[in-house]
Amino acid sequence: MRDDAKQAGSRMTAVKLLAILTTTHACLDAPQRPRRHHHALVTRRWVVKRFPRHDPSRYFSILKAPRGTDHWLLAKNGSYPNAALKSSLNVFRGCDAKLQGCASPQIVAKGASDVHNYAVLADDEKVWGVTGLTSPKRSTTMGLLASSSDWLVNSMPGLSSDHPGCLEKRPNRPVCEYDGRFSLAKLGNSTLLYARGNTNPVSGGRAVTVARLVNNEWGPLSLITFQQSPEPFDVLHDPNRARDEADVYFGAINENPAMAGTLLGLFPTALKTAASILMAVSCDGTHFSAPIRLFESSHVGGEIVDHAVDGISVDGDDVLLYVHAGVPGVFEKTCAFKALHPKPGVKKHNVTSDWREPRSELVGLSIHREKLATWTRKQVRGL
């Protein structure tokens, strides 16, 4: 009996080791990229800017300058392909509403952990924000303040690594890290902060939580909710199904230019069978309408290929939304990428097609303000 148990244990160990080895060296197929947009709402689509190959810029934000009429475009940069090392926060000033005429970038903050998940807000003639991963060694996020030479400051309200309501179910993560993008939004006299929550102890389950600023401190975080939407994104209405089947990477939440007192949210979301940048509205910042598929995307092993740009601009009667298509680094796990960028000592992958990594580019989506207002009115009826 003991020998049988030992043999069974040895076989189990061998199976686990084989699984680890095959998983470690496996690669994934490069997905198709549908990139369709919502034709009933979007009246115009164009490429705003196409970035040079090996430019790792990501996590774009747009805000109206605190003074004047221009806009600022912000981006995280760093080492190729995913800007995870030598990270910096870059600001392009002097842009118009269509992101044309921007000045050369200025680096305003540095640090891989410091700018990883930044969010900014133009409020009361100042630009401020929240940023920074937390860990057992760093208990609180940092602040951003544009009036200082180095934007990184410790004087802004932050989230603690054990903040009430924060969600971190991943194994070997003793504290909340906030490893996805933050977003800041104004709703009336309230200020809201959106942060990553990790709800699944195995894998996936990325979600969005929200806190409200009260007396210069962030209140408890809570999960945002969505009204029922058509398949397959109906899973977002059920927190248990969302935990097991969906990854909502972050929310890019802003005041809705088409209807005062509402927020417009963009949510890059991946399921096993679909991926899309979803759009929904909210009257209170926590409960959102049934999301629609604004921009069709794809994913690599659950990692979505396209991101929403955080921020909205207005040009005349048009509301302008932006998508970062072809986020660098997402294709790093594909066989095609590994074949193009072989690492020393790693078995080479053969790819028969003439595949090249898709170009990273900012895509503009224009929606007429009245059309957006009509859609918003329909959406808020169920809230």
Side-chain angles (χ1 to χ4, degrees), residues 362-374:
L362 291 182
V363 176
L365 304 173
S366 176
I367 303 177
H368 193 276
R369 190 198 297 262
E370 186 53 43
K371 185 179 288 190
L372 182 59
T374 300

Side-chain angles (χ1 to χ4, degrees), residues 112-136:
S113 297
D114 296 336
V115 302
H116 174 79
N117 48 6
Y118 85 94
V120 290
L121 181 68
D123 178 27
D124 194 22
E125 295 194 349
K126 71 176 181 180
V127 173
W128 65 279
V130 177
T131 190
L133 292 169
T134 54
S135 68

Side-chain angles (χ1 to χ4, degrees), residues 130-152:
V130 177
T131 190
L133 292 169
T134 54
S135 68
K137 294 183 178 180
R138 174 189 277 180
S139 61
T140 309
T141 58
M142 301 183 70
L144 293 167
L145 191 60
S147 59
S148 61
S149 55
D150 182 345
W151 283 26
L152 286 171

Side-chain angles (χ1 to χ4, degrees), residues 210 223-227 281-289 383:
V210 60
L223 276 172
I224 67 169
T225 64
F226 293 98
Q227 294 290 307
V281 295
S282 176
C283 297
D284 64 2
T286 301
H287 304 92
F288 283 82
S289 64
L383 295 174

Side-chain angles (χ1 to χ4, degrees), residues 28 31-35 58-59 181 196 206 233 246-251 266-272 274-278 293-308 323-333:
L28 302 171
Q32 297 294 318
R33 300 189 64 215
R35 301 181 63 190
R58 68 195 54 237
Y59 285 11
R181 286 199 72 175
R196 164 73 60 82
R206 297 173 179 88
F233 291 98
D247 280 298
V248 184
Y249 271 81
F250 60 88
L266 303 181
F267 303 91
T269 302
L271 311 178
K272 185 176 181 180
S276 184
I277 294 178
L278 305 176
R293 301 165 78 160
L294 178 69
F295 188 91
E296 292 297 285
S297 184
S298 53
H299 68 85
V300 177
E303 188 171 355
I304 195 164
V305 170
D306 309 304
H307 283 181
V323 170
H324 180 199
V327 177
V330 174
F331 296 93
E332 197 175 10
K333 298 176 183 177

